[in-house]
Amino acid sequence: MSDTYIQNLIAERIGGNQYGKSHAIYKFEKIKRAKRAAMALDPGAEIIDLGVGEPDEMAFPEVVEKLCAEARKPENRGYADNGDGVLKQAAAHYLERVCGVKGLNPEKEVMHSIGSKAALSILPAALINPGDYVLMTVPGYPVFGTHAQYYSGRVHNLPLTEENQFLPDLDAIPAEVLGQAKVLVLNYPNNPTGASATPEFFKKVVEFARKNNLVVIHDAAYAALVFEGQPLSFLATPGAKEVGIELHSASKTFNMTGWRCGFVAGNELLVKAYGDLKDNTDSGQFLAIQHAAAYCFEHPEITENIASKYSRRMNALTVALAKAGFKAKKPKGSFFLYVRAPKAAISKDGERTEFKSAEEVSQWLITEKLISTVPWDDAGHYLRWSVTFVAKNLSDESRIVGEVEHRLGDVKFEF
Ligand SMILES: Cc1ncc(COP(=O)(O)O)c(C=O)c1O
């Protein structure tokens, strides 16, 4: 394709006149291609997909019913703009009841989002001037950092390591970065490590933010998917509302990824700024969807039900991977099992395959074992195994995990 004048008009932030010309293939595309190639070689084979980052089931029937009923109401038909009071009230009530967050003002301190991804892409406009640093954890969900860079902000990565329980080492941030840093983005339970934060860590974060004039954005997309105890909200930390906001979403916690609904809560000025920018970005989520999401936040037992399924699957998968030699430890929440990638695999007939990265292991697992995982090479070499695989029923669920164990059973991994 020869260059047109359009090519020269593309903004530098996405590559300018080089946009679209790179032949680099990114991680998720490599996984897709390897799956396609494996299927082409053996069309009848079953690929076990443990790489999926979203729930395997539909929203609960009563939620779908609620959506239908709300969609029939004429008053819900128009632009929702920044939303009515229904989701705001439900969100504040949810945070109080489920996470012990007291005293949130639903009118001023809560605002809906068209999913957390949308909120993370809008918020940098409220905070980032050219040259400002954003502190982002890696591996992680990069959306806020990507948009901060669109505004000529800079990203400083905070590695999440096993030695530090996958919590960032705030004391290791260089002084010259900290001096120009404005925002700290956190996400617990964490994608991809599955790690959870602790009240002590959040307390430290509040103190750190105050001392260094930082805004904290806690992305709580997996917040209520916990296997023991109560979900932990950053906003339950004393002083949290003075330094930041938290993003909740119906996507993972209520099997509603395609519905696109969540909320932003916390610091009044930040919520207001988010609302002003949002108002200039979208016209709000369909009120029927907002009201169905509000129903969910009033029924946290739905998430408990979903979490107990993931917990059961996690138990089985942890055992299966441990038998194959992986150091698999069940996380306290999320649906991700994050395990160190092997350095080599030795097959029964003695053939040895060496791996330089988790990406190579993941490609090998698809090609040789028809098992799909997501590799992460940002801070050590790890594989993310997701328990949101599709199974017809309980016995199919056991069969699938048994199949993983069986397929890995004739290999010796070296770590
Ligand atoms: C950490 C994290 N934050 C946010 C999102 C996006 O959530 P939503 O569907 O609410 O946009 C995801 C989705 O994978 C995620 O993993």
Side-chain angles (χ1 to χ4, degrees), residues 372-387:
S372 177
T373 58
V374 177
W376 298 86
D377 287 300
D378 311 65
H381 307 294
Y382 288 82
L383 294 169
R384 191 192 77 181
W385 308 67
S386 176
V387 293

Side-chain angles (χ1 to χ4, degrees), residues 53 115-118 120 141 187 191 219 221-222 249 251-252 260:
S116 292
K117 186 176 194 175
L120 289 166
Y141 192 71
N187 158 233
N191 174 14
D219 172 3
Y222 301 84
S249 168
S251 289
K252 321 276 172 155
R260 314 307 306 133

Side-chain angles (χ1 to χ4, degrees), residues 168-179:
D169 181 358
L170 302 175
D171 302 325
I173 302 168
E176 64 276 17
V177 170
L178 202 49

Side-chain angles (χ1 to χ4, degrees), residues 103-124:
L104 215 55
N105 179 334
E107 271 314 308
K108 295 186 169 164
E109 295 172 338
V110 182
M111 171 80 55
H112 89 279
S113 69
I114 305 186
S116 292
K117 186 176 194 175
L120 289 166
S121 70
I122 288 172
L123 280 161

Side-chain angles (χ1 to χ4, degrees), residues 276-297:
D276 285 341
L277 288 159
K278 183 183 170 307
D279 206 22
N280 281 293
T281 307
D282 60 58
S283 297
Q285 182 52 282
F286 183 25
L287 281 171
I289 290 181
Q290 286 194 48
H291 294 174
Y295 173 93
C296 290
F297 288 112

